[in-house]
Amino acid sequence: EDLLAHLPQIDWQGVHRLADRIAGTAAVDEFDSVVTALFDWLDARVRSGAAAGEGVGRLAPYAEVWEKVADAVREAEALNLDKRPLVLSIFADLASAVRAARS
């Protein structure tokens, strides 16, 4: 949650620690919890933006990153890929979405 709260700034050391902690085969539940937290965070951004009357243009980056993350998670799980690069990529994409939504 702390990593998400500071977006678009990224604490890369913190993201690397998180990725190391949730990437192993024994950490399936932890990975699922983080993915759920990411989607909850995105949901909250969209809901609060909609409630504040923000237009589709400002909310679209969140929807786009939602789909991208969902696809990447499905692919990583289906192909049993290393989740470390996935976590790094997700945070980079989230930061880009926040920047785009603010502009």
Side-chain angles (χ1 to χ4, degrees):
E1 291 176 1
D2 189 50
L3 294 171
L4 293 170
H6 291 95
L7 290 171
Q9 280 107 10
I10 301 173
D11 170 7
W12 285 113
Q13 289 180 341
V15 173
H16 277 275
R17 282 191 302 273
L18 175 66
D20 288 342
R21 216 173 33 233
I22 66 171
T25 55
V28 173
D29 291 338
E30 290 86 351
F31 178 77
D32 290 343
S33 293
V34 168
V35 170
T36 298
L38 293 172
F39 286 127
D40 288 347
W41 183 86
L42 284 167
D43 181 65
R45 299 290 77 69
V46 171
R47 287 180 187 274
S48 66
E54 293 180 12
V56 173
R58 293 184 75 111
L59 300 176
Y62 295 120
E64 291 167 4
V65 78
W66 181 301
E67 277 198 39
K68 187 173 182 179
V69 169
D71 290 344
V73 167
R74 271 193 301 275
E75 182 179 351
E77 290 178 339
L79 300 175
N80 198 27
L81 300 175
D82 183 1
K83 294 180 178 80
R84 283 177 196 85
L86 171 62
V87 172
L88 301 177
S89 175
I90 287 171
F91 273 88
D93 291 339
L94 289 171
S96 294
V98 171
R99 279 191 292 280
R102 290 182 179 173
S103 59

